[in-house]
Amino acid sequence: MHSLKTRYSMNSHLCRTVGLSLVIGLGGLAAAAQDALTLRQAIHQALAGSPEAAIARANGMEAKAGATMARTALLPQLGFTEDISRGDDPVYAFGSRLRQRHFTQADFALNALNRPQPIGDFSTRLSGSWMAFDSFKTQREIRRADLFKDSASSSAKAADQQIVFRVVSAYQSVLYAQRAIDVAQHEQATAAALLNSVEDHVRAGLAVESDRMSAQVNVAGRKQELIEAQGDLELAWAELREAMGVADLKTSDLNPIEPRAFPQTSLEQDLALAVKLRPDFGALVNAQTAQLAAVSAAKSEFGPRVCAYGNWQEDRGSLTGSGGNNWVAGAQIAIDILPIGKRAQLARETASKQRIDAQLNAQQRQIRLQVSQAHIHRQTAALSIETARAAMDQSAESLRILKNRYGAGLATITDLLRAEDAERQSQTSYWRAVYGNAMAYAELLYATGTLTPDAAEELQ
């Protein structure tokens, strides 16, 4: 009996332990499910499912395969052939018997030479060749392929940064739209409180009916602004879904946008950083060097080529019969004495090089403009936050004073509504400045080529 009680107690304790573990586990899952979507999560989701990123990765794989294929020109070419034939062509019959080592005195008879009997030939052939020297054309083609591979890798990084910037922009738009709703709800509550205060004054004979109507119009205006803010939030979420590539992404409350102080840099530092780190600029630089190698390879086509070759062949009268074998080896020197097509190829490669040179020059100017614009936006946005914060504090104090004055009958409803409108606009301007500051910093990171998922963490 004591054993049964002990076993029952142990089982009960085990059940309670398991139950408690399940509750804790399910609670953890529920908490995880309620976690707000972070900017890093949004970026990783976009990079994983973006068609642009997939295209860039495919281009990189294609360029890598091209670099491997270019190196195969340095290797010898080997081939195997099994040829089965039958015929009574005089030359074919004569040569086949000779290669099979079955030639006899009777085969020299004129009738046998002119009208041979059909003969079969089973021929096994191994052949090989190797380009020993091609005026360094192969080495230059390899160099060109390697540079194109590096260019494709840089282009993939540029595509990733475009995706990151698009997600950051959409994510920040959602944060700003959430703040806009908070402001609209606060202003709606403020308008309702003003209406109650005015109604009290009207009932006490301290205000006229037109004051009540003005306050009611103000409440209606604040309701309309809240509806518009809610629509802007839905539109921002739609843009974020598109940027992430997740059509069924559910709306949720993200961590609110907050004012942040970002590092300050000089324009010269930003320009130097862009030239060094911009992946699109790096891709164009690699493409320019690759095209220079292509021009050199086209010039090599005019030089001599030295090729070594060899063949081994066995011929039999039947598949399993005996026969003879022979081999041939040699070297060949070739020079094109009328290279009209090669001149056209060189002209085309030279024109492509000139085009890339012009593109690189234009890209340098564009980068300088983009970095300068982003740098100015960054400075302006940082200063705007301080100004907007001061204006918001002043307008809030002004509204408080006018509320007291209106309550004492020393101010009109027009003065009060004007102060309330100024306070609302100052809050909107402040959060717009906070949003603009974050986007200006993201724009600067993108312009300098440093907008990575890790760098975007500063914007969260």
Side-chain angles (χ1 to χ4, degrees):
M1 185 70 178
H2 176 72
S3 176
L4 289 175
K5 288 182 178 180
T6 302
R7 186 180 305 168
Y8 175 76
S9 177
M10 293 174 62
N11 289 341
S12 300
H13 178 71
L14 179 62
C15 289
R16 285 195 299 271
T17 302
V18 172
L20 181 60
S21 300
L22 288 174
V23 170
I24 293 174
L26 291 174
L29 290 175
Q34 295 174 357
D35 287 344
L37 174 70
T38 65
L39 180 57
R40 176 176 281 273
Q41 290 172 341
I43 289 173
H44 283 310
Q45 178 66 42
L47 291 175
S50 170
E52 294 90 344
I55 293 172
R57 287 192 296 268
N59 290 337
M61 294 172 61
E62 182 180 4
K64 184 178 180 180
T68 302
M69 187 169 62
R71 283 169 168 77
T72 60
L74 296 174
L75 303 176
Q77 306 298 311
L78 300 176
F80 170 81
T81 304
E82 183 68 33
D83 188 9
I84 303 174
S85 60
R86 184 175 178 80
D88 63 355
D89 178 77
V91 176
Y92 165 78
F94 186 89
S96 296
R97 285 192 177 90
L98 193 60
R99 286 192 298 270
Q100 292 172 11
R101 303 293 196 269
H102 292 162
F103 209 86
T104 63
Q105 184 68 31
D107 294 321
F108 280 104
L110 294 179
N111 189 52
L113 290 174
N114 291 325
R115 298 178 182 82
Q117 294 296 319
I119 182 175
D121 185 46
F122 292 80
S123 175
T124 302
R125 183 182 302 110
L126 290 174
S127 61
S129 64
W130 177 53
M131 182 63 70
F133 178 73
D134 61 356
S135 299
F136 304 106
K137 174 180 179 294
T138 298
Q139 287 78 2
R140 287 160 180 165
E141 288 287 357
I142 292 174
R143 171 68 173 160
R144 175 175 179 262
D146 287 341
L147 288 167
F148 271 128
K149 181 182 69 173
D150 295 339
S151 178
S153 177
S154 296
S155 296
K157 292 179 182 178
D160 288 346
Q161 289 200 0
Q162 289 177 353
I163 295 169
V164 172
F165 184 74
R166 191 160 60 239
V167 173
V168 167
S169 178
Y171 191 90
Q172 292 294 327
S173 294
V174 172
L175 298 185
Y176 172 68
Q178 286 183 169
R179 279 294 187 184
I181 286 182
D182 293 340
V183 172
Q185 291 174 340
H186 169 74
E187 295 304 326
Q188 187 180 35
T190 300
L194 288 177
L195 176 60
N196 292 334
S197 177
V198 170
E199 288 178 339
D200 291 340
H201 281 67
V202 170
R203 283 192 293 267
L206 300 176
V208 295
E209 187 64 26
S210 61
D211 288 358
R212 187 207 309 269
M213 296 177 62
S214 297
Q216 290 173 341
V217 171
N218 184 51
V219 170
R222 302 294 80 78
K223 288 182 179 179
Q224 181 64 31
E225 289 178 354
L226 178 59
I227 293 173
E228 293 175 356
Q230 291 170 341
D232 291 340
L233 179 60
E234 288 298 323
L235 179 60
W237 271 105
E239 293 175 351
L240 181 58
R241 293 187 188 98
E242 178 64 23
M244 292 176 57
V246 183
D248 57 349
L249 180 66
K250 299 186 182 301
T251 60
S252 61
D253 289 333
L254 306 183
N255 294 329
I257 189 172
E258 297 290 347
R260 294 182 181 276
F262 300 109
Q264 294 283 355
T265 54
S266 66
L267 178 59
E268 290 73 19
Q269 290 175 323
D270 293 336
L271 289 171
L273 204 60
V275 172
K276 181 180 178 181
L277 298 180
R278 277 278 291 252
D280 53 346
F281 183 73
L284 203 53
V285 169
N286 285 328
Q288 181 194 44
T289 311
Q291 191 57 37
L292 181 61
V295 173
S296 298
K299 292 179 180 178
S300 297
E301 290 278 7
F302 294 91
R305 298 181 302 278
V306 179
C307 178
Y309 62 90
N311 294 290
W312 176 87
Q313 181 172 327
E314 181 185 44
D315 291 87
R316 304 174 302 280
S318 63
L319 182 62
T320 59
S322 61
N325 63 79
N326 59 83
W327 61 271
V328 176
Q332 183 183 68
I333 300 177
I335 300 176
D336 193 347
I337 61 175
L338 193 61
I340 298 176
K342 294 176 181 178
R343 290 195 185 98
Q345 177 67 17
L346 176 59
R348 188 174 76 169
E349 298 295 353
T350 302
S352 296
K353 171 65 168 52
Q354 293 172 349
R355 172 177 53 81
I356 294 179
D357 290 343
Q359 289 177 341
L360 189 60
N361 186 26
Q363 181 76 346
Q364 287 176 322
R365 296 182 181 182
Q366 186 67 20
I367 287 176
R368 184 173 185 84
L369 176 61
Q370 291 174 352
V371 173
S372 299
Q373 289 176 335
H375 183 82
I376 294 171
H377 292 164
R378 170 76 188 89
Q379 290 181 323
T380 304
L383 295 175
S384 296
I385 287 186
E386 299 301 325
T387 304
R389 182 185 288 113
M392 184 174 64
D393 294 340
Q394 292 172 358
S395 62
E397 179 64 15
S398 175
L399 179 61
R400 186 190 66 80
I401 293 173
L402 278 171
K403 282 181 179 179
N404 294 334
R405 289 176 60 83
Y406 182 78
L410 300 176
T412 65
I413 187 63
T414 303
D415 297 332
L416 184 59
L417 293 179
R418 187 182 295 116
E420 189 268 343
D421 185 65
E423 192 268 345
R424 181 184 70 257
Q425 291 182 4
S426 68
Q427 286 201 40
T428 301
S429 298
Y430 174 71
W431 289 115
R432 187 183 297 114
V434 172
Y435 164 76
N437 185 47
M439 284 308 303
Y441 184 64
E443 180 187 0
L444 182 60
L445 292 178
Y446 180 64
T448 55
T450 56
L451 184 59
T452 62
D454 291 335
E457 284 289 315
E458 300 182 53
L459 301 165
Q460 176 66 47

